[in-house]
Amino acid sequence: MQVIESVAAFRQAYDAAAKPLGLVPTMGFLHEGHMALVHRAREENATAAVSIFVNPTQFGPSEDFATYPRDMDSDLAKLEEAGVDLVLAPTVDEVYPAGFDTHVDVGRIGERLEGEHRAGHFHGVATVVCKLLTIVRPNRAYFGQKDAQQCLVVQRLNEDLNLGAEIVVCPTVRDSDGLALSSRNVYLSADERVAALSLNRSLRLAQELHSQGESDAPHIRQRMHELITTSPLADIDYISIADANNLNELDTIDRPALVSLAVRIGKTRLIDNVII
Ligand code: PAF
């Protein structure tokens, strides 16, 4: 496994690498959710590449960039064991050298939900993913469904700027109690972790109501709201039931819908979703 810090060195490794090449872009602190993407990239490509870069431009000024969990040694050991060939682990200066001044705006799809609650977040995501796809030039790039809106943003970006990767979206990986895996779960105390289960429970409630024939989106949102607010530790940012293709909020569920939510449990902000 080659661990590469510079863009120039990655270009050389790219030229020598067998194709097709699959990339898993990550911010490190790898858990089983990331590893499911890595295993899939390993199975489907001649070269498996992973990027590890905690991208400062997708964190707001009051967010957790400085304290975001990092563990490069453990990450590299996991990737080595999974048979990864190339790891791109650049410094912030390598990705954003002095004078850097170009940003990618994906437009409408990035404005709602996370975009509304985390100003500038998707400019940062789109800019860094655009750079990663341009540096690494993967045939396939793997993303997790847990970040559903991010997947839509990346698909839009890839298509609009002709970046040429196949974007592969992989299912959310959950702990046995249903909590979606996230690097931020390490912030949760024991009590908060119990409270965090309400995200998945409310999504299952939405699925259940819908499968019983309920198509009134405000009613389902209300029931989810009631379930989550039974916990005093939970503070809801949003609950959305939206058209899964364009994220327009729905009144009646008459097409594939993304049910998504963001909830603060103590100081930790968690997101989760299902498609119904
Ligand atoms: O999902 C993530 O970990 C990040 O948003 C990504 C796609 C690696 C871009 O920094």
Side-chain angles (χ1 to χ4, degrees), residues 25-27 53 55 58 125 128-129 143 147 150:
T26 80
M27 299 206 297
F53 179 63
N55 173 37
Q58 69 188 75
V125 169
V128 83
V129 171
F143 295 85
D147 297 301
Q150 171 169 278

Side-chain angles (χ1 to χ4, degrees), residues 112-266:
R112 297 209 50 250
L113 308 177
E114 291 298 286
E116 217 170 295
H117 290 262
R118 301 182 68 189
H121 172 65
F122 284 123
H123 281 90
V125 169
T127 302
V128 83
V129 171
C130 184
K131 284 182 65 92
L132 290 169
L133 295 186
T134 310
I135 295 165
V136 177
R137 285 177 279 173
N139 300 86
R140 301 189 182 93
Y142 297 81
F143 295 85
Q145 173 65 25
K146 189 183 77 80
D147 297 301
Q149 190 177 12
Q150 171 169 278
C151 292
L152 292 173
V153 163
V154 168
Q155 279 160 339
R156 182 82 271 141
L157 163 78
N158 183 57
E159 202 174 313
D160 289 355
L161 298 186
N162 305 98
L163 297 178
E166 180 193 337
I167 305 300
V168 184
V169 177
C170 302
T172 302
V173 178
R174 299 179 180 281
D175 263 337
S176 54
D177 57 10
L179 183 66
L181 296 192
S182 161
S183 302
R184 291 191 169 97
N185 291 352
V186 291
Y187 298 147
L188 299 169
S189 68
D191 286 351
E192 288 173 345
R193 206 181 174 298
V194 173
L197 297 179
S198 67
L199 276 84
N200 179 241
R201 282 205 192 107
S202 73
L203 291 171
R204 282 196 283 128
L205 173 65
Q207 278 175 315
E208 201 178 299
L209 292 170
H210 183 248
S211 69
Q212 288 163 2
E214 182 60 78
S215 62
D216 184 68
H219 173 72
I220 297 181
R221 274 195 291 269
Q222 178 56 32
R223 293 284 304 274
M224 292 173 71
H225 192 282
E226 281 163 17
L227 187 153
I228 294 167
T229 48
T230 52
S231 166
L233 295 175
D235 183 14
I236 298 170
D237 253 11
Y238 63 81
I239 298 175
S240 160
I241 302 179
D243 183 317
N245 291 311
N246 58 26
L247 300 185
N248 288 338
E249 210 60 28
L250 294 174
D251 279 329
T252 305
I253 304 172
D254 55 2
R255 65 199 79 183
L258 177 75
V259 185
S260 65
L261 73 173
V263 180
R264 284 171 205 281
I265 305 288

